[in-house]
């Protein structure tokens, strides 16, 4: 489970552990991963998927620890608020490297190790096709992630590749790096577009459903 130190990834890993599956959890924060392993069992690997050199290595470590792979689920992503006129090359590179290139490299490393009819699961966003002002680079990256899933299905029909579009979910870190002042400006526009629902899903219930 990649992106298991918080939010939906953490909730999914915990539920998989409850169901008795051996789990390898991946994230950037050792202490949080250790908490997941203490509850769910399994193995923790600290890695940053935005660094290409770490992607293949973490897959190899997981394969060695688990003896193979039946499921690779990718929930890690990054998001910040920025209008297109202000989103420079550095921001675009950060978003695409984490949300598209990292998952692609992990998939490439994992495919040879997935069991027959193994599952690859990529978490996308309901905002694909309906971008919000301020998070267009994030939406672009999720659209690319969905094309990655389609490409994997075409090249590897022996595997089961799913891409889940996730809606508004509370207790995640989606808005952790949002600029508060820009958010105050943009949120009324989001409400006007019907993008902030009255009721949110929780990471716990969504992680349970994914598991």
């Amino acid at each position: 489970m990649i992106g298991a130190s918080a939010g939906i990834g953490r909730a999914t890993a915990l539920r998989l552990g409850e169901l008795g599956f051996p789990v390898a959890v991946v994230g950037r924060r050792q202490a949080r991963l250790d908490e997941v392993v203490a509850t769910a069992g399994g193995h923790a690997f600290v890695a940053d998927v935005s660094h290409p050199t770490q992607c293949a290595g973490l897959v190899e470590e997981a394969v060695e620890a688990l003896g193979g792979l039946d499921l690779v689920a990718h929930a890690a992503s990054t998001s910040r608020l920025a209008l297109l006129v202000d989103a420079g090359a550095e921001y675009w590179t950060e978003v695409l490297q984490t949300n598209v290139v990292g998952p692609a490299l992990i998939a490439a490393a994992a495919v040879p190790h997935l069991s027959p009819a193994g599952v690859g699961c990529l978490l996308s966003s309901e905002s694909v096709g309906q971008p919000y002002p301020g998070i267009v680079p994030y939406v672009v990256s999720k659209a690319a992630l969905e094309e990655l899933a389609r490409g994997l299905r075409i090249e590897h029909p022996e595997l089961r590749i799913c891409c889940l579009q996730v809606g508004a979910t509370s207790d995640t870190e989606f808005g952790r790096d949002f600029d508060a002042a820009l958010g105050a400006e943009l949120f009324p526009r989001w409400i006007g577009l019907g993008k902030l629902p009255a009721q949110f899903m929780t990471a716990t219930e969504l992680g349970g459903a994914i598991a």
Side-chain angles (χ1 to χ4, degrees), residues 32-92:
R32 292 200 177 189
L33 294 177
D34 289 343
E35 291 174 1
V36 174
V37 170
T39 301
H43 309 270
F45 300 101
V46 176
D48 185 343
V49 298
S50 69
H51 294 283
T53 55
Q54 297 186 29
C55 293
L58 74 88
V59 170
E60 295 298 330
E61 289 182 279
V63 169
E64 183 176 354
L66 297 173
L69 299 173
D70 297 311
L71 163 70
V72 177
H74 199 290
S77 68
T78 187
S79 59
R80 286 195 283 122
L81 286 182
L83 295 170
L84 283 172
V85 294
D86 300 318
E90 182 178 352
Y91 176 45
W92 276 101

Side-chain angles (χ1 to χ4, degrees), residues 125-208:
S125 168
E126 66 173 356
S127 60
V128 172
Q130 304 179 67
Y132 307 9
I135 61 165
V136 173
Y138 170 80
V139 179
V140 169
S141 74
K142 291 300 186 179
L145 191 72
E146 295 191 6
E147 288 302 302
L148 172 62
R150 293 185 183 99
L152 286 167
R153 292 188 196 114
I154 290 297
E155 293 191 1
H156 297 280
E158 75 280 8
L159 302 176
R160 293 177 289 173
I161 308 297
C162 65
C163 191
L164 304 179
Q165 284 195 344
V166 176
T169 308
S170 64
D171 60 328
T172 73
E173 296 188 342
F174 174 73
R176 180 188 64 188
D177 298 323
F178 281 10
D179 177 85
L182 182 56
E185 175 188 334
L186 292 176
F187 291 166
R189 296 175 63 184
W190 289 13
I191 293 171
L193 292 169
K195 301 303 185 183
L196 287 178
Q199 184 174 358
F200 282 53
M201 298 180 288
T202 69
T204 298
E205 66 184 359
L206 184 53

